[in-house]
DNA sequence: ATGTGC
């Protein structure tokens, strides 16, 4: 490792590659285990890869670490997008004053109102919603091929203007058309793997399990003039209630991703192509090949599903607030992914930037933000920390050029799920939520999701700030949390 | 993360 200011570099074997750029202070670097670093080096040495960035929240992932950026102008890498295609964050700002959340009864009613509309847990589709909220199959198909189009949003009762608050409101097929996606979906539906498509469509408007969540927040805007001005542009309201959501493309994204992993693995074996770093999980396809086209189409189908899923969730959350606190209004602050590959200009070259557990961070004046609401501020960056340390809204700084215009995607796991379930004390976890006055839909908070299972969020943010990648605009203080409530333990 | 899947 070679220290270069706040960034550190790992040099892969041989000298024809630029190093992996590591953003993390000494404390954070101690959290990277050998496999995570090996995955970063494998990724850096893989064909066509021009840059790899390791973020402070990095830990082992599928092929590449979760918490990394991989750039390639010539190759697409499904592993460094991952299973949960376009897993994302979204934030809804309401006009409800923070004081309304003092009352535990109101918060309990809100929890029920949200959970009635938005299922959590494995396999759960939006089954318990009123008939008017059931997703028609043709709307589900249009969601996947067209993304957050006006027609799709109107059909689902989502404010059409929210599409302007998305990192990408829609993803097109490999040739830039939605038609390519229509054809690909039609083809996939002929096969057995999409036989349960009808129930898959009902997963629009659901959270899923694992680290996915919905969280009611109070907004604390950072107390300086610049932050207040940026918060205004973002639509954040200091000392008012907001709602943060974390979820992705559910079963369909998983299905599409795992199908691609298998198919590409099979072709590598058939053609005796060596795997980068001897790791099957780092299969790739050269841009322009039919394999790359198929992957880009499948990724886009999953990504569009995730986008519409988030927007529907936000509309349902707003509806839940309106049921309990009549007259509530709300607006989407932003929707931004941390598991996606997208085309960006890197060093004057059209490049596929894969962010795996990493968040885009375009600062003020970035060319891609022209004619968007965030042209003069940079777009919002939504970073979940944990319910007790809070979550963060940040904005990119010019220094983010060094990290491929990316920051971390949250705190990052410190303990594996099994270890967390074994080592963390249930009573202590629940008592800590009680004393912080944070309510939850779970009788017992999942141990593998406890704040102690994650890295120190403050330390992670410090690394981002010290490296000059982004600055904090607001902190979000949790008032209640919606998680998968099925008791997975004992 | 996940219909824990020929």
């Amino acid at each position: 490792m070679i220290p270069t200011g706040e960034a550190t570099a790992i040099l892969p074997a041989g000298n024809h590659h630029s190093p992996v750029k590591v953003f993390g202070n000494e404390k954070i670097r101690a959290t990277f285990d050998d496999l995570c670093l090996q995955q970063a080096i494998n990724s850096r040495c893989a064909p066509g890869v021009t840059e790899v960035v390791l973020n402070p929240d990095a830990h082992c992932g599928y092929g590449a670490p979760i918490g990394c950026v991989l750039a390639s102008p010539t190759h697409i890498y499904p592993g460094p997008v991952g299973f949960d295609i376009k897993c994302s964050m979204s934030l809804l700002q309401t006009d409800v004053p923070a004081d309304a959340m003092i009352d535990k009864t109101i918060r309990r009613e809100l929890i029920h109102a949200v959970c009635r509309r938005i299922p959590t847990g494995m396999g759960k589709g939006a089954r318990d919603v009123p008939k008017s909220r059931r997703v028609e199959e043709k709307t589900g198909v249009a969601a996947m091929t067209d993304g957050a189009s006006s027609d799709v949003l109107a059909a689902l009762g989502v404010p059409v203007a929210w599409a302007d608050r998305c990192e990408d409101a829609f993803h097109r097929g490999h040739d830039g058309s939605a038609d390519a996606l229509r054809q690909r979906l039609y083809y996939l539906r002929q096969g057995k793997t999409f036989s349960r498509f009808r129930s898959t469509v009902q997963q629009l408007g659901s959270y899923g399990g694992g680290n996915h969540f919905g969280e009611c927040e109070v907004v604390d805007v950072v107390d300086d003039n610049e932050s207040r001005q940026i918060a205004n542009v973002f639509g954040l309201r200091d000392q008012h209630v907001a709602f943060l959501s974390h979820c992705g493309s559910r079963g369909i994204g998983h299905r599409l991703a795992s199908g691609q992993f298998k198919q590409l693995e099979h072709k590598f074996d058939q053609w005796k192509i060596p795997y980068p770093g001897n790791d099957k999980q780092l299969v790739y396809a050269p841009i322009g090949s039919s394999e790359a086209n198929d992957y880009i189409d499948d990724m886009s189908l999953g990504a569009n599903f995730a986008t519409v899923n988030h927007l529907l969730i936000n509309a349902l959350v707003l509806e839940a607030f309106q049921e309990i606190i009549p007259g509530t209004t709300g607006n989407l602050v932003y929707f931004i992914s941390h598991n996606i590959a997208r085309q960006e200009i890197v060093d004057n070259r059209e490049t596929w930037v894969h962010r795996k557990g990493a968040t885009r961070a375009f600062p003020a004046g970035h060319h891609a933000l022209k004619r968007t609401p965030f042209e003069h501020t940079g777009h919002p960056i939504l970073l979940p920390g944990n319910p007790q340390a809070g979550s963060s809204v940040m904005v990119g700084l010019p220094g983010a050029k060094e990290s491929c215009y990316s920051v971390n995607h949250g705190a990052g796991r410190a303990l594996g799920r099994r270890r967390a379930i074994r080592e963390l004390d249930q009573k202590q976890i629940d008592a800590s939520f009680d004393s912080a006055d944070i309510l939850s839909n779970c009788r017992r908070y999942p141990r593998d999701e406890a704040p102690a299972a994650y890295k120190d969020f403050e330390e992670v943010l410090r690394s981002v700030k010290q490296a000059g990648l982004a600055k904090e605009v607001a902190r979000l203080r949790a008032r209640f949390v919606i998680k998968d409530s099925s008791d997975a333990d004992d």
Side-chain angles (χ1 to χ4, degrees), chain A residues 36-108:
Chain A
C36 173
L37 295 174
Q38 189 59 54
Q39 287 184 333
I41 289 170
N42 291 346
S43 305
R44 182 64 195 87
C45 299
V49 174
T50 50
E51 192 169 355
V52 170
V53 171
L54 204 61
N55 284 328
D57 56 343
H59 53 103
C60 296
Y62 186 88
I66 296 165
C68 85
V69 186
L70 181 154
S72 174
T74 50
H75 292 66
I76 190 91
Y77 281 80
V81 172
F83 278 97
D84 191 2
I85 294 167
K86 211 182 183 188
C87 185
S88 311
M89 302 300 306
S90 57
L91 184 68
L92 180 80
Q93 175 69 65
T94 77
D95 64 344
V96 175
D99 286 355
M101 293 300 109
I102 294 169
D103 185 353
K104 275 194 170 65
T105 313
I106 297 263
R107 276 185 281 156
R108 291 225 168 81

Side-chain angles (χ1 to χ4, degrees), chain A residues 232-437:
Chain A
N232 263 336
V233 174
F234 286 2
L236 290 167
R237 294 186 65 175
D238 191 38
Q239 301 315 304
H240 283 71
V241 172
F243 202 93
L244 184 68
S245 293
H246 177 209
C247 63
S249 48
R250 306 296 331 277
I252 197 78
H254 183 264
R255 192 73 245 169
L256 290 160
S258 50
Q260 283 290 336
F261 295 148
K262 267 189 204 132
Q263 222 163 49
L264 282 168
E265 227 181 78
H266 178 73
K267 293 201 167 169
F268 268 62
D269 289 343
Q270 193 184 354
W271 295 335
K272 300 195 189 342
I273 302 168
Y275 295 105
N278 250 335
D279 189 347
K280 288 184 172 193
Q281 302 180 352
L282 274 177
V283 289
Y284 56 84
I287 297 298
S289 65
S290 65
E291 289 76 16
N293 291 348
D294 288 349
Y295 178 73
I296 289 166
D297 289 349
D298 286 5
M299 182 190 74
S300 297
L301 287 166
N304 284 335
F305 189 95
T307 305
V308 177
N309 185 29
H310 261 268
L311 295 187
L312 179 54
I313 281 174
N314 279 276
L316 292 169
V317 166
L318 180 56
E319 191 188 85
F321 269 83
Q322 287 165 340
E323 180 196 328
I324 307 304
I325 308 172
T328 298
T329 63
N331 276 304
L332 193 69
V333 172
Y334 207 48
F335 160 74
I336 188 164
S337 180
H338 47 239
N339 270 6
I340 195 72
R342 60 197 304 285
Q343 284 177 286
E344 294 173 12
I345 308 287
V346 179
D347 297 330
N348 296 319
R349 201 169 169 195
E350 190 79 50
T351 300
W352 281 91
V353 178
H354 307 64
R355 294 195 176 85
K356 184 186 177 73
T359 316
R360 193 186 70 173
F362 289 163
H366 190 283
H367 63 88
L369 295 180
K370 272 203 182 115
R371 290 179 299 278
T372 77
F374 309 115
E375 184 172 357
H376 304 297
T377 54
H379 63 77
I381 299 167
L382 306 176
L383 298 184
N386 68 63
Q388 285 161 23
S391 292
S392 183
V393 181
M394 300 188 90
V395 68
L397 295 173
K401 189 176 191 304
E402 293 304 311
S403 61
C404 232
Y405 292 114
S406 309
V407 293
N408 57 312
H409 79 309
R413 210 159 245 298
L415 304 178
R417 291 194 183 277
R418 251 177 279 169
R419 193 175 155 202
I421 288 169
R422 198 172 56 235
E423 288 179 14
L424 300 181
D425 182 66
Q426 186 72 54
K427 276 187 188 146
Q428 216 175 326
I429 294 166
D430 293 335
S432 70
F433 273 82
D434 286 345
S435 67
D437 188 29

Side-chain angles (χ1 to χ4, degrees), chain A residues 5-47:
Chain A
E6 287 306 328
T8 310
I10 311 172
L11 265 183
N15 54 9
H16 50 290
H17 294 303
S18 63
V20 174
K21 273 189 206 161
V22 184
F23 289 90
N25 57 30
E26 218 170 313
K27 253 190 190 164
I28 286 294
R29 290 202 301 274
T31 67
F32 300 147
D33 61 29
D34 290 346
L35 180 56
C36 173
L37 295 174
Q38 189 59 54
Q39 287 184 333
I41 289 170
N42 291 346
S43 305
R44 182 64 195 87
C45 299

